[in-house]
Amino acid sequence: MIEGLLAGISSVIVPIHFFALFLGVFLGFIGGATPGISGTMLVIILIPITYGMSPSAAFLMLTAIYASSVFSGSISAILFRTPGTPEAVCTVFDGYPMAKRGEAGKALGIAIFSSAAGGLIGTIFLITLTPVLAKVALTFSSAEYFAIALLGLTVVASLSNGKLLLGALGVLFGLFIATVGIDPMSGVSRFNFDSVQLNGGIPFIPILIGLFAMSEIIRKSQEDHAIKHKIKNVSSKLPDLALMRTIAGTIGRSSLIGTFVGILPGAGATTAAMLSYSESVRWSKTPEKFGTGIAEGIAAPESGNNAGAMGAIVPLLALGIPGSATTAVILGAFILHGIQPGPMLIVQQAELVYTIFVGMLVAILFILILAKPFISIFAQTMKVPYTIMGPIIILFCIIGTFAVRNSIFDIWVMLVFGVVGYFLEKIKFPVAPIVLGVVLGPLAEEEFRRAVQMAGGDFMVFLTRPISGTLIVIAVILLLLPLIKKLFKLLSSSNKGGSVGA
């Protein structure tokens, strides 16, 4: 391992490789911070360009784009309430409220520190334990994947601001959206209303941009923009020692969760961010403060998604199985360069593998160094009147939505969900659980049906397998916990009332 790391360092410091890494971080910053564009899209666009590059330079640039875009998605999430990438969805919940209080610089500083810490922890953890982690992930079956998805869906209890019923309805609506299109198991079209466009399902990116970005633009068009003066002058500031101690536990726990979730093929950094956020709420002594703009609400998803992004590269390199959408695209880049990821990759291409590992460490260092000046430049857009900035954001949203599948239909989907999101927020209906259902729905459905099919129709397979059974029991307990707490409060208050009456 030490020899491999030394070889990786020697490769990274080659001028052309170092420049490719720097360029990747810079492009990732721009793509992640710009609403509607993501690291996945940038990697797709740049793969043809990398064909003329050496494998080391190509994958240093592509993985740097991935790492930096996961972080920079938090910039627009905090400043505009518009997640620049899907991984930054949960950052909106506390980042934007903190910015509204005039503490945008503090929120961005927490995001920078948490992202760098999560990425560093995830990378070190993966470099030292990659073979073990890959072996653990390989032992998971469909039952365990379903149990993890179910555990993630219980986040509804945390994201619905005490409105558990509304949150559950939101998740069910999201799960229904996830079923539209062709059945992945039977190939039969479902809920497509004889529309060819709906055969491929309702894509996630237009839903995400519509519910969060377009709904916010509609809402902002009707306000006096007084909030603009509070978040106009943005200067990111890293947390002081006191604040670092406050969020240290959250960062450590979320980084471990993110790393574990990231190595599970198909889970990805978005799921890692959601699970990290939900677990932070559950571990908190003041869970009711989440969603109001607290430091832990930013530190949890940012450390979780960056650690998850690092983890998603493990199954790609060790098993040849992409851990996320972006790593699936990077898998295509490997094949384009005539390299087959898998168990033999670390033997046949040890220098390339460790070059990628060292490159990720250097990319994290670049994020720490370049984030502040980039945010200062990017934040200048806050000085632009919203009558100009609003249409520009709409334009980026339309371009980003269209670029995913080159589909006008997706733009209409984005606009429809923008209107839906606006009216849902107007009646105080929680929007986050809908996104949760859309993200985890396909994973939950496919793995549930596959597990039952493999077990010959025996539904007890989820409880008889130790890991899946334990996760399901934990999920049920955590979902019912708010109701149990309310019941105990009612009983205690009635007992007090009875004793006072006596």
Side-chain angles (χ1 to χ4, degrees):
M1 183 181 296
I2 294 175
E3 290 177 0
L5 289 172
L6 290 174
I9 293 171
S10 300
S11 178
V12 168
I13 62 177
V14 172
I16 188 64
H17 294 172
F18 193 79
F19 176 74
L21 180 63
F22 175 83
L23 181 63
V25 172
F26 180 72
L27 291 174
F29 272 158
I30 295 174
T34 305
I37 301 177
S38 64
T40 306
M41 192 182 306
L42 281 174
V43 172
I44 291 171
I45 293 170
L46 292 174
I47 278 181
I49 298 175
T50 66
Y51 186 67
M53 302 168 62
S54 69
S56 293
F59 293 108
L60 280 172
M61 185 174 74
L62 295 178
T63 53
I65 289 173
Y66 183 32
S68 58
S69 65
V70 170
F71 152 71
S72 60
S74 65
I75 299 174
S76 53
I78 291 170
L79 297 181
F80 299 110
R81 194 175 178 258
T82 307
T85 59
E87 294 88 351
V89 171
C90 292
T91 307
V92 172
F93 303 153
D94 285 271
Y96 187 70
M98 188 178 286
K100 284 177 26 175
R101 292 202 305 262
E103 298 177 312
K106 177 183 177 182
L108 290 167
I110 294 169
I112 294 170
F113 178 76
S114 302
S115 297
L120 182 62
I121 292 171
T123 304
I124 293 175
F125 195 73
L126 294 170
I127 291 173
T128 55
L129 298 178
T130 293
V132 178
L133 292 175
K135 187 178 291 186
V136 170
L138 195 59
T139 62
F140 271 46
S141 70
S142 295
E144 282 76 24
Y145 280 121
F146 169 73
I148 288 175
L150 183 64
L151 183 63
L153 289 171
T154 62
V155 177
V156 63
S158 309
L159 301 185
S160 51
N161 297 321
K163 303 173 183 177
L164 186 58
L165 179 59
L166 292 180
L169 290 174
V171 166
L172 290 174
F173 180 52
L175 290 173
F176 170 72
I177 293 172
T179 62
V180 174
I182 296 176
D183 187 329
M185 302 292 286
S186 65
V188 177
S189 296
R190 306 180 300 185
F191 309 114
N192 65 345
F193 302 98
D194 293 326
S195 170
V196 176
Q197 288 90 346
L198 288 177
N199 275 340
I202 302 177
F204 173 62
I205 296 297
I207 296 173
L208 176 66
I209 294 175
L211 286 177
F212 285 97
M214 290 304 298
S215 65
E216 177 67 5
I217 292 169
I218 296 172
R219 189 186 66 80
K220 271 182 171 285
S221 67
Q222 300 179 337
E223 65 179 26
D224 59 5
H225 309 304
I227 189 133
K228 236 8 218 181
H229 301 291
K230 290 186 178 181
I231 58 177
K232 182 181 290 186
N233 299 315
V234 178
S235 178
S236 60
K237 181 182 178 182
L238 290 176
D240 55 28
L241 288 176
L243 185 53
M244 285 183 184
R245 283 195 292 267
T246 302
I247 62 177
T250 299
I251 290 175
R253 179 176 60 249
S254 299
S255 297
L256 292 176
I257 292 173
T259 301
F260 176 73
V261 173
I263 66 170
L264 299 175
T270 304
T271 305
M274 289 186 170
L275 288 175
S276 298
Y277 187 86
S278 68
E279 292 308 308
S280 293
V281 176
R282 287 167 181 157
W283 282 72
S284 175
K285 296 179 180 178
T286 55
E288 68 280 356
K289 291 185 178 180
F290 278 79
T292 63
I294 63 172
E296 291 89 338
I298 301 172
E302 283 304 300
S303 55
N305 61 22
N306 280 267
M310 301 299 107
I313 298 177
V314 172
L316 172 66
L317 299 179
L319 308 174
I321 302 172
S324 65
T326 309
T327 53
V329 177
I330 295 175
L331 174 61
F334 270 107
I335 296 172
L336 184 68
H337 281 265
I339 301 172
Q340 180 60 55
M344 295 302 294
L345 180 65
I346 201 166
V347 176
Q348 299 171 347
Q349 300 279 349
E351 183 176 334
L352 175 60
V353 171
Y354 281 99
T355 296
I356 293 172
F357 285 150
V358 173
M360 288 192 290
L361 290 172
V362 177
I364 293 166
L365 180 62
F366 275 149
I367 288 173
L368 276 173
I369 297 173
L370 300 177
K372 186 171 183 177
F374 177 82
I375 289 171
S376 299
I377 296 171
F378 187 80
Q380 296 303 312
T381 58
M382 300 300 294
K383 297 181 180 179
V384 180
Y386 203 78
T387 51
I388 297 175
M389 182 54 63
I392 291 175
I393 295 176
I394 291 175
L395 181 62
F396 275 121
C397 290
I398 291 173
I399 293 172
T401 299
F402 179 79
V404 175
R405 302 196 306 178
N406 295 329
S407 171
I408 297 294
F409 177 76
D410 288 357
I411 296 176
W412 285 110
V413 171
M414 183 259 297
L415 295 173
V416 168
F417 275 93
V419 175
V420 170
Y422 168 74
F423 283 108
L424 287 178
E425 291 196 344
K426 207 170 181 62
I427 62 174
K428 307 299 181 184
F429 190 100
V431 175
I434 299 176
V435 177
L436 187 71
V438 174
V439 171
L440 297 179
L443 178 66
E445 181 196 5
E446 289 182 34
E447 301 303 342
F448 175 83
R449 293 172 63 186
R450 187 174 289 115
V452 173
Q453 195 174 56
M454 292 172 64
D458 184 9
F459 291 94
M460 291 301 294
V461 64
F462 300 104
L463 297 178
T464 54
R465 293 180 68 90
I467 297 177
S468 62
T470 302
L471 291 175
I472 289 173
V473 170
I474 293 173
V476 172
I477 292 173
L478 292 175
L479 185 61
L480 297 178
L481 198 58
L483 298 176
I484 296 172
K485 286 182 178 178
K486 284 185 179 181
L487 181 61
F488 274 111
K489 283 183 180 179
L490 288 173
L491 291 174
S492 61
S493 60
S494 63
N495 289 336
K496 287 180 181 179
S499 60
V500 169

